[in-house]
Amino acid sequence: MDTLSEQCEAVLKLNDHSKYTAPGPRLYPHQWLWDSAFAAIGWSHIDTKRAKQEIFSMLDGQWSNGMIPHMIFDMHPKYAQDRGTWRSWVSPLSPNHLATSGITQPPILAEAVSRIGAQLQKPQRQQFYKKVLPALIKYHQWLYTERDPHNEGLVLQIHPYETGLDNTPPWMTGIREHNRPWWIAAVEKLHLDPLINVARRDTRAIPPNQRMRNIDALVIWDVIRRLRRKHYDIDKILHRSLFIIDDVAFNSIFIRNNTILRDIAAEARIKLPEDLTDRMKRSEQALESLWDDSFNVYFSRDFITNHLLKEPTVASLLPLYAGTISKERADKLVKVLTNNHVFWLKNPVPSVPRNVRRFDQDRYWQGPTWINTNWLLIDGLERMGYKNESTALKSHTIEMMRQHGIWEYYNPLTGQGLGSPDFSWSAALALDLLNT
Ligand code: GLC
């Protein structure tokens, strides 16, 4: 057996909390939504029962309105502070038997379910699909009813964590410009931000130049506080606008997972509500409104002003994963992706392109290469017929991991591993790449 495969399997086992896979040791003890979906894809190559468990435990956190939260907390008393940051119990919609966050994350569960399904015999597959479909359908319906209030086809995000790309530049610029409270401006002006280190667990374990800046962390924390004060009630949240985005990565992932949901339902012989399938179709067209002719990529959009947020990131390329864009658009994206002054660096694909001011090679979602976004691009390129590019990105990714190990993210110029070591989704998705 390939040694990288063995290492990947060992990482998943190391982070296995029996009902769910923690993203990484120490720093990430709880369950996260898209991490669990990626972990399930990895587990599907080792143990399908364990892979299914990953999905069931995520669905166990579903709110009564259909939202699947981005985090489910470990209930150990030592994590009371983490649970207290979100206080999901302030919403009557949150489950009583556990504590969760009050927002969601990229909806990639249908993808994970179908990858597990692919490893099962037909009767078991149908049985599994039937079991999870009600919750998945409810989740996709919730995304439309609550997050697409004007019936435009795109769903909005209320917190940068919902995109999974926490401190991604367009969000950080937007929040700073729109709703930074006076006291955060004062902290910055008086250079008091180093004091925030006291409250940060991540910068104690990991060099601060690899994590988000203190000011960004504070701004992000403040958005949680505001959402919590509104008890995660979407009407209250939309009423006095926070900074809200139609994120291009989130919507691309949603569109692809809508397609998969339709396939899963067809296989389980379950009819999706017509209203849902109508809205799915509208989303495919609406994605086009995020295209920008001058940069030749897609951008996220400010939900309130309708302006595109023209800061390119890896999210700008993810419509390739959506699978519904035209060949003409895809060709242009692939051109930008494979430009070696922009995204095609020695260890592609950086979260922010090298040719922009915000590129910061070691800092979290502001430059480093992440395995999950590579996996999404590899999958999208392959499905859209860009076999050479897909194969090249796959071998770059595997080679980088063979050389540098299994990390949360990587320096796109040197390949050095950054952030948390032994990171679950890097292991899970490498395992998938090695097996497909
Ligand atoms: C960070 C990442 C997010 C991930 C979480 C747990 O917040 O930005 O995408 O889900 O860590 O790994």
Side-chain angles (χ1 to χ4, degrees):
M1 201 190 191
D2 186 294
T3 42
L4 180 60
S5 285
E6 282 168 3
Q7 288 166 2
C8 291
E9 199 170 324
V11 165
L12 286 181
K13 290 184 174 155
L14 170 76
N15 295 325
D16 186 3
H17 287 211
S18 85
K19 286 207 164 127
Y20 69 91
T21 313
R26 293 181 298 280
L27 199 57
Y28 298 110
H30 311 292
Q31 182 172 21
W32 270 262
L33 173 52
W34 76 335
D35 298 71
S36 259
F38 293 130
I41 293 171
W43 282 115
S44 77
H45 296 287
I46 305 171
D47 174 352
T48 50
K49 195 158 169 252
R50 179 63 189 77
K52 287 194 243 171
Q53 174 53 50
E54 195 75 31
I55 305 291
F56 297 144
S57 63
M58 203 62 239
L59 297 181
D60 194 33
Q62 187 165 36
W63 286 30
S64 63
N65 57 354
M67 181 180 82
I68 302 186
H70 103 292
M71 286 177 79
I72 301 177
F73 291 101
D74 183 326
M75 295 306 278
H76 193 281
K78 70 179 173 192
Y79 298 122
Q81 202 189 336
D82 295 2
R83 294 188 292 270
T85 301
W86 287 96
R87 269 171 254 166
S88 53
W89 48 90
V90 299
S91 167
L93 306 169
S94 69
N96 292 327
H97 63 293
L98 30 84
T100 75
S101 69
I103 57 168
T104 192
Q105 232 184 1
I108 194 160
L109 278 178
E111 172 85 84
V113 164
S114 77
R115 299 284 173 149
I116 299 170
Q119 305 290 335
L120 302 171
Q121 301 291 332
K122 194 163 184 194
Q124 284 79 32
R125 176 159 66 238
Q126 283 185 324
Q127 208 182 18
F128 175 52
Y129 287 174
K130 282 202 173 106
K131 191 161 173 187
V132 296
L133 266 166
L136 279 187
I137 295 171
K138 201 171 165 193
Y139 179 43
H140 283 233
Q141 283 178 310
W142 169 79
L143 280 162
Y144 280 119
T145 48
E146 195 149 290
R147 297 311 187 80
D148 181 16
H150 305 150
N151 217 336
E152 291 172 307
L154 297 175
V155 293
L156 58 87
Q157 287 67 55
I158 56 176
H159 191 287
Y161 285 172
E162 289 203 314
T163 70
L165 317 180
D166 304 4
N167 62 336
T168 189
W171 263 101
M172 294 295 78
T173 308
I175 306 191
R176 275 162 158 263
E177 282 171 5
H178 286 77
N179 62 1
R180 186 170 55 157
W182 65 267
W183 57 270
I184 295 187
V187 167
E188 191 169 21
K189 193 151 183 236
L190 299 171
H191 303 292
L192 296 176
D193 43 302
L195 294 176
I196 297 156
N197 277 329
V198 182
R200 289 186 67 174
R201 204 168 42 203
D202 63 338
T203 44
R204 261 177 267 155
I206 292 165
N209 71 323
Q210 297 178 19
R211 306 304 284 180
M212 61 173 88
R213 289 190 180 80
N214 277 339
I215 277 294
D216 289 348
L218 198 59
V219 164
I220 284 181
W221 172 83
D222 178 63
V223 183
I224 301 181
R225 193 182 59 89
R226 295 185 201 205
L227 296 174
R228 191 179 66 210
R229 272 213 317 241
K230 295 182 175 189
H231 294 186
Y232 308 108
D233 177 325
I234 194 68
D235 294 328
K236 291 194 188 127
I237 292 167
L238 295 181
H239 174 62
R240 283 270 313 262
S241 63
L242 286 156
F243 182 58
I244 293 170
I245 276 184
D246 289 322
D247 180 70
V248 61
F250 192 108
N251 278 279
S252 299
I253 291 172
F254 187 38
I255 288 170
R256 173 70 187 142
N257 278 262
N258 277 336
T259 307
I260 298 173
L261 187 63
R262 281 196 298 249
D263 294 345
I264 293 176
E267 188 160 356
R269 296 184 207 294
I270 288 178
K271 197 169 163 6
L272 293 180
E274 219 162 276
D275 175 51
L276 179 61
T277 48
D278 285 350
R279 296 191 81 161
M280 288 176 171
K281 283 195 205 103
R282 183 155 328 135
S283 296
E284 294 172 14
Q285 291 146 14
L287 187 61
E288 204 41 33
S289 63
L290 304 182
W291 175 259
D292 181 77
D293 259 329
S294 51
F295 283 81
N296 279 327
V297 294
Y298 291 83
F299 287 118
S300 299
R301 185 171 71 183
D302 180 328
F303 176 77
I304 314 284
T305 64
N306 253 329
H307 291 149
L308 292 183
L309 303 160
K310 298 192 182 183
E311 289 191 69
T313 69
V314 66
S316 306
L317 306 173
L318 285 179
L320 284 167
Y321 172 74
T324 55
I325 57 170
S326 69
K327 178 90 176 91
E328 187 199 339
R329 296 286 190 243
D331 278 346
K332 289 186 173 161
L333 288 182
V334 170
K335 218 165 159 197
V336 177
L337 166 67
T338 52
N339 180 333
N340 50 22
H341 301 292
V342 184
F343 281 109
W344 206 255
L345 308 184
K346 189 148 182 279
N347 299 276
V349 176
S351 39
V352 168
R354 191 179 185 179
N355 61 337
V356 302
R357 188 181 51 84
R358 292 294 285 264
F359 174 77
D360 190 341
Q361 54 186 296
D362 291 328
R363 197 180 294 284
Y364 218 37
W365 290 100
Q366 298 186 343
T369 292
W370 289 71
I371 304 303
N372 63 337
T373 43
N374 275 13
W375 186 87
L376 294 169
L377 286 169
I378 292 165
D379 183 69
L381 287 166
E382 165 91 23
R383 270 185 290 106
M384 296 218 66
Y386 300 92
K387 305 274 179 226
N388 293 342
E389 291 78 0
S390 170
T391 309
L393 184 52
K394 186 168 165 173
S395 45
H396 273 302
T397 307
I398 295 196
E399 205 32 54
M400 177 177 77
M401 295 182 73
R402 283 217 168 98
Q403 264 188 40
H404 300 277
I406 301 169
W407 291 83
E408 189 177 5
Y409 41 97
Y410 298 82
N411 180 306
L413 304 174
T414 65
Q416 187 204 342
L418 305 166
S420 170
D422 299 325
F423 195 66
S424 293
W425 83 40
S426 303
L429 297 176
L431 208 52
D432 185 65
L433 294 178
L434 291 166
N435 278 286
T436 48

